[in-house]
Amino acid sequence: MNVLDFPPARQNSLCLDDFLEKSRTHITDRLNTLTQFDPLCPYASLFEATRYSLLSTGKRMRPQLLLATLHLYDMPLEQGMDAACAIEMIHTYSLIHDDLPCMDNDDFRRGKPTLHLAFSESTALLAGDFLLTYAFEVICQSDSLSAEQKVALIATFSHNAGAHGMIGGQVIDLASESMQISAATLEQMHEGKTAKLIIAALVAGAIIANAPTTDRDLLTLIGKKIGIAFQIADDILDVTGQFEQMGKLAGADAKKNKATAVSILGLGPSQALMKQLHVETQQIIQQLSRPAPLLSALINNLIHREH
Ligand code: GRG
């Protein structure tokens, strides 16, 4: 049995832990294969640096959301593996660049020193550049996607990672340090820097499964709500979490006077908003054209995370 074979969505006998473990292993194995290199090549250090970040202990949440969306439509999960790896590459690039001294200047990520500390600032910049461009190359070279699907995936990923998505959100984030921003600006920042890539993962699954347009729209809404809830959970963990769980130092946001859900709304209201977004998400999931037990369980797990 293929490691990615799971019971079809209409059978309710799936096990979330099984999916999380098998898919994480399978995604990391594929990322490993996709970044194999010749140690004698003059730019071998680029691959070493890239693999230091990419093959470390990420949760692989965005690829898992893509695969869980395919599962909803009874699609072979293997068909989405290249797109799943591509979105993890885009995510990892954003983490590497976000940690740089000119951005958040963080020392730890995924339980290890950040890439610019372990290698060098210029190498970290180039590793991020490589991951972003290589993500699109991986989609273009995929054997499991049609030409139309490749174009749609490239359009979705580039738009959601771009100025009206993740990069725009990051600009608001940097501009909001030490500022008292409104709840509306906070939401716009969370939607851009976190939710847009989560939306891209769900919509990518819908593209590969040729899902109905109504489902694509619902998945976009689900992505927005869980993305914002996920970021609020991240902001809360920065106050309440531990290094051992998170793989990065707690208290970093407050130290940098970051505008976060906790600093703008307060801890209690942030927790209440997260719960409300979770309930709304579960209601929208019920409106999809098919039962979505795996996606639903995965989302519950993400929102109630400890790291
Ligand atoms: C384009 C430079 C540039 C930055 C993009 C948002 C962002 C902007 C960079 C990443 C930093 C950050 C705090 C993102 C918010 C989303 C978030 C909580 C990321 C962490 O994602 P996880 O928890 O991480 O999925 P792992 O390590 O498990 O993959």
Side-chain angles (χ1 to χ4, degrees):
M1 184 169 132
N2 185 308
V3 74
L4 277 180
D5 281 344
F6 288 92
R10 53 188 176 276
Q11 293 171 30
N12 242 343
S13 59
L14 61 93
C15 169
L16 179 67
D17 288 343
D18 199 31
F19 172 76
L20 290 176
E21 195 194 316
K22 285 181 179 167
S23 60
R24 194 181 297 129
T25 305
H26 204 68
I27 291 157
T28 304
D29 286 352
R30 181 68 72 93
L31 289 168
N32 181 18
T33 306
L34 285 166
T35 53
Q36 288 299 316
F37 65 104
D38 175 357
L40 297 177
C41 98
Y43 42 89
S45 59
L46 174 72
F47 286 93
E48 284 161 9
T50 302
R51 287 164 61 85
Y52 173 88
S53 290
L54 187 67
L55 305 181
S56 59
T57 59
K59 292 186 286 297
R60 313 301 188 205
M61 164 186 111
R62 294 150 193 83
Q64 285 169 338
L65 284 168
L66 189 156
L67 298 178
T69 307
L70 286 185
H71 178 267
L72 158 64
Y73 299 103
D74 291 341
M75 296 285 294
L77 304 195
E78 183 54 40
Q79 213 165 318
M81 280 305 295
D82 289 324
C85 288
I87 202 157
E88 184 65 16
M89 287 176 188
I90 296 172
H91 166 61
T92 306
Y93 125 76
S94 81
L95 299 180
I96 294 169
H97 281 195
D98 185 61
D99 291 337
L100 284 170
C102 63
M103 299 257 182
D104 276 3
N105 195 18
D106 279 315
D107 293 347
F108 290 97
R109 173 69 68 182
R110 292 177 167 173
K112 305 195 292 189
T114 42
L115 187 58
H116 60 272
L117 292 180
F119 288 74
S120 70
E121 207 174 317
S122 54
T123 305
L125 189 72
L126 290 168
D129 293 344
F130 167 48
L131 282 169
L132 178 61
T133 45
Y134 190 42
F136 293 105
E137 187 179 341
V138 166
I139 293 174
C140 291
Q141 290 184 343
S142 176
D143 291 333
S144 60
L145 301 165
S146 70
E148 288 77 12
Q149 286 171 333
K150 289 178 186 179
V151 172
L153 289 168
I154 291 167
T156 300
F157 286 177
S158 54
H159 177 78
N160 285 285
H164 302 296
M166 190 171 68
I167 293 177
Q170 178 76 347
V171 171
I172 303 177
D173 182 288
L174 292 172
S176 303
E177 278 177 21
S178 307
M179 302 264 289
Q180 190 61 32
I181 59 170
S182 67
T185 305
L186 180 78
E187 182 180 321
Q188 204 182 1
M189 176 173 92
H190 284 179
E191 181 176 356
K193 77 170 189 171
T194 310
K196 288 286 187 164
L197 216 52
I198 290 175
I199 293 171
L202 295 170
V203 170
I207 290 169
I208 298 166
N210 294 316
T213 318
T214 44
D215 277 11
R216 269 191 213 196
D217 294 343
L218 291 168
L219 287 164
T220 302
L221 198 53
I222 291 167
K224 178 177 169 179
K225 287 185 187 290
I226 57 167
I228 293 173
F230 185 80
Q231 184 57 54
I232 296 173
D234 201 68
D235 291 353
I236 293 172
L237 279 171
D238 191 71
V239 176
T240 62
Q242 305 290 328
F243 179 86
E244 292 70 29
Q245 295 161 322
M246 300 190 294
K248 58 180 183 177
L249 295 171
D253 291 339
K255 214 166 143 190
K256 283 175 241 154
N257 277 321
K258 283 270 178 197
T260 70
V262 179
S263 73
I264 302 298
L265 309 174
L267 183 58
S270 298
Q271 286 165 330
L273 179 56
M274 203 175 74
K275 277 187 194 133
Q276 182 195 327
L277 289 163
H278 184 206
V279 170
E280 288 169 8
T281 301
Q282 290 301 343
Q283 285 165 350
I284 304 167
I285 288 177
Q286 303 302 320
Q287 296 169 35
L288 289 166
S289 63
R290 287 158 164 250
L294 178 61
L295 188 61
S296 177
L298 183 57
I299 287 171
N300 288 344
N301 186 61
L302 289 176
I303 295 179
H304 295 120
R305 70 201 180 105
E306 289 180 342
H307 63 285

